[in-house]
Amino acid sequence: MINLDKTQVKARIAWLTADGGAPEPRVFNAAAAAGFTIFEASNVAVDRPPVDIAVADLRGALHPGDVAAGVIAKARAAAPAAGLVIAASASADRETRSMLRRHGDVCYVGADAAPVIAALRERLRLSGLADEMGERLKSLIADGRTISFAGFKERPRRLSVLVAGKPSPLTLSACNAIRDVATQVSCVFSAGQVMRALDHSQFDCAIFHPASETDLLIALARALRRHRDHRKLSVFMTSEDDELLDRCASRDGFEAVLANHLASDLALRLEIAGKRARMASIMRDFLRSPEGCGDGKDGAAGARFFAHHAVRVFRRADETGRPAALAALLLEPKSASAAPAAAAALNDALRTAAKLVRAEDMIARLTPTTLAFLLRGATGAEGANVAERLQGVIGGTLLRSTLDISSVKATAVERRPGEDIETAIASLLRALRHAKKDDTLAV
């Protein structure tokens, strides 16, 4: 989720270095822009709020293998919920890189470690998805539901990889590096050819070789990340220009592979990225499925299961100090006789809403014409932004397609610490009833 409220801490990072020093100022600036708070090694204490993720910065070590175990042990002692990420020097030799991979995820950076923040953001997104998956399973079991894991039983297939960029020795090196792990390798030269290839084939990973900062491959990679059908495609950037790779990694969060790392690291990194993408896709599909919503129809949870899961989410929010918000969408019929048509239109609104919110956001029916959204980890400002987006998209669609709805209202409230589900729902309905007329889409 994009951090719209910079005063709300989105994640707490424990940053440990080999020499005991602090990261450079640009790291703190990048973390603050993302809504993260960095604790240095000396400030990580048991009385502080729990740490979400840890970074073992080994760039300052002359021999990383000698200090890696100690720094990584301290990072793990901070009990990060999302694990740890190792920041290593891009000039590390092959043996050192192989050793560090055995300890965890490795992010190779130059003199500036700002690209690590983008890697942490992607890791935290995956961790949040897995966390909601675990809490959803607990709620399903507590509710007496039966669960199947058909998607997780699928055998991982060999990778299908798309390589894009102007013909060069680097492109050839990338193709040679993945020939043992990929069953299909397609090579194209431009962004337009990439789009045509994606229309005709399905790929697990893509390797883009941009020629410069203005190369359309970079803009296309950003668009693919926002596209619902292609965001699970893992995009890797490679180039002879290390500064270009640094900008792509720190600004956009793309995985960057240095030119001299292709032969030894690319195949393994593609396999890991492909497995994670499949795992994330399976979790999203489960959370949106009727089974993951407590056998709710059309992906909307029943009232009992929604309340049961909300209690669990609220209790977890109090334990971790995280926010939680509720949003609601109301379709107002023009008359009493139009109420059945408005209830039927809610099915269309539900399908659209499922595409506008995260997979970990649970949707339920409050009334025949009202939808409720449980927004885990969202502040009131972020919930208001979600409500505005729901109202604009759904209201603009339904008011043109049916004459039975007079207006579409949406609102959101942030759940106060310690507040129970009944009080939070009452606050949500009160806010929905008092929604300003200026903020309502009406005919």
Side-chain angles (χ1 to χ4, degrees):
M1 177 177 291
I2 298 175
N3 185 41
L4 300 174
D5 185 3
K6 296 300 188 296
T7 62
Q8 176 67 40
V9 177
K10 300 297 295 182
R12 304 177 182 93
I13 305 169
W15 196 287
L16 298 96
T17 60
D19 54 5
E24 51 269 33
R26 188 184 171 193
V27 175
F28 285 99
N29 295 336
F36 300 161
T37 296
I38 294 180
F39 297 113
E40 299 175 32
S42 58
N43 295 330
V44 177
V46 294
D47 57 341
R48 284 191 174 274
V51 173
D52 296 291
I53 195 167
V55 177
D57 191 350
L58 303 178
R59 293 173 300 151
L62 297 178
H63 304 286
D66 299 335
V67 299
V71 176
I72 291 173
K74 292 180 182 178
R76 290 194 175 122
L84 65 93
V85 173
I86 300 172
S89 174
S91 60
D93 56 34
R94 183 170 182 173
E95 290 74 15
T96 300
R97 299 198 303 270
S98 177
M99 179 273 297
L100 293 177
R101 280 198 298 267
R102 293 194 291 269
H103 290 282
D105 284 349
V106 185
C107 183
Y108 298 101
V109 294
D112 194 339
V116 177
I117 300 300
L120 296 181
R121 187 186 300 113
E122 296 302 317
R123 180 70 175 266
L124 288 168
R125 286 172 180 169
L126 182 60
S127 176
L129 188 64
D131 196 19
E132 173 62 20
M133 178 78 172
E135 295 299 322
R136 193 76 63 90
L137 291 177
K138 293 177 184 177
S139 297
L140 289 168
I141 293 173
D143 200 42
R145 307 280 181 175
T146 57
I147 308 167
S148 62
F149 298 96
F152 289 94
K153 295 178 182 178
E154 295 180 359
R155 293 183 179 180
R157 62 184 186 277
R158 288 170 62 87
L159 295 176
S160 176
V161 183
L162 176 65
V163 181
K166 294 182 178 180
S168 67
L170 188 63
T171 306
L172 181 60
S173 299
C175 295
N176 291 334
I178 60 176
R179 61 184 178 182
D180 293 333
V181 298
T183 185
Q184 176 187 354
V185 179
S186 300
C187 297
V188 296
F189 304 141
S190 65
Q193 292 177 346
V194 170
M195 296 176 64
R196 287 192 290 272
L198 292 175
D199 289 338
H200 293 85
S201 301
Q202 184 177 1
F203 298 95
D204 300 300
C205 305
I207 305 170
F208 287 179
H209 176 203
S212 64
E213 182 75 22
T214 59
D215 197 315
L216 291 179
L217 287 174
I218 299 178
L220 177 60
R222 298 192 194 108
L224 292 176
R225 171 171 291 175
R226 295 189 297 267
H227 198 285
R228 185 179 183 85
D229 296 332
H230 300 297
R231 64 185 178 186
K232 62 182 180 181
L233 178 71
S234 300
V235 178
F236 287 75
M237 293 288 181
T238 184
S239 174
E240 297 89 346
D241 187 352
D242 293 346
E243 293 184 0
L244 175 59
L245 290 182
D246 180 80
R247 289 192 294 270
C248 289
S250 58
R251 181 188 57 202
D252 303 312
F254 296 122
E255 294 206 45
V257 184
L258 300 177
N260 58 344
H261 292 184
L262 285 175
S264 58
D265 296 358
L266 181 59
L268 182 59
R269 293 181 64 176
L270 286 182
E271 283 188 311
I272 295 174
K275 290 178 181 179
R276 284 182 176 171
R278 286 193 295 269
M279 179 180 64
S281 178
I282 292 172
M283 288 192 292
R284 289 190 181 97
D285 292 342
F286 177 82
L287 293 175
R288 290 195 177 101
S289 67
E291 185 182 31
C293 295
D295 290 333
K297 296 181 179 179
D298 299 326
R304 185 186 70 178
F305 184 74
F306 180 82
H308 187 93
H309 186 65
V311 170
R312 185 180 301 276
V313 171
F314 288 172
R315 183 170 64 247
R316 181 69 180 275
D318 290 334
E319 293 173 353
T320 60
R322 293 295 180 209
L326 291 170
L329 178 75
L330 171 64
L331 308 184
E332 292 188 329
K334 283 188 174 181
S335 61
S337 60
L346 193 68
N347 295 327
D348 296 333
L350 174 60
R351 287 190 290 269
T352 303
K355 300 177 181 179
L356 297 176
V357 298
R358 303 171 301 175
E360 53 266 40
D361 296 330
M362 180 176 282
I363 309 175
R365 298 175 187 267
L366 279 184
T367 69
T369 58
T370 307
L371 292 177
F373 303 83
L374 176 60
L375 309 176
R376 182 176 178 177
T379 63
E382 291 167 339
N385 183 69
V386 172
E388 183 179 356
R389 184 165 63 247
L390 290 169
Q391 179 176 303
V393 175
I394 295 176
T397 302
L398 291 182
L399 293 179
R400 291 195 301 266
S401 61
T402 179
L403 300 177
D404 298 307
I405 299 175
S406 61
S407 64
V408 177
K409 290 182 179 180
T411 190
V413 296
E414 183 173 351
R415 179 250 182 188
R416 297 184 180 89
E419 195 173 57
D420 56 28
I421 180 61
E422 291 81 5
T423 305
I425 291 293
S427 300
L428 179 64
L429 294 178
R430 190 181 307 113
L432 187 63
R433 185 170 59 251
H434 292 91
K436 295 181 180 180
K437 188 175 182 180
D438 294 341
D439 297 334
T440 302
L441 290 180
V443 293

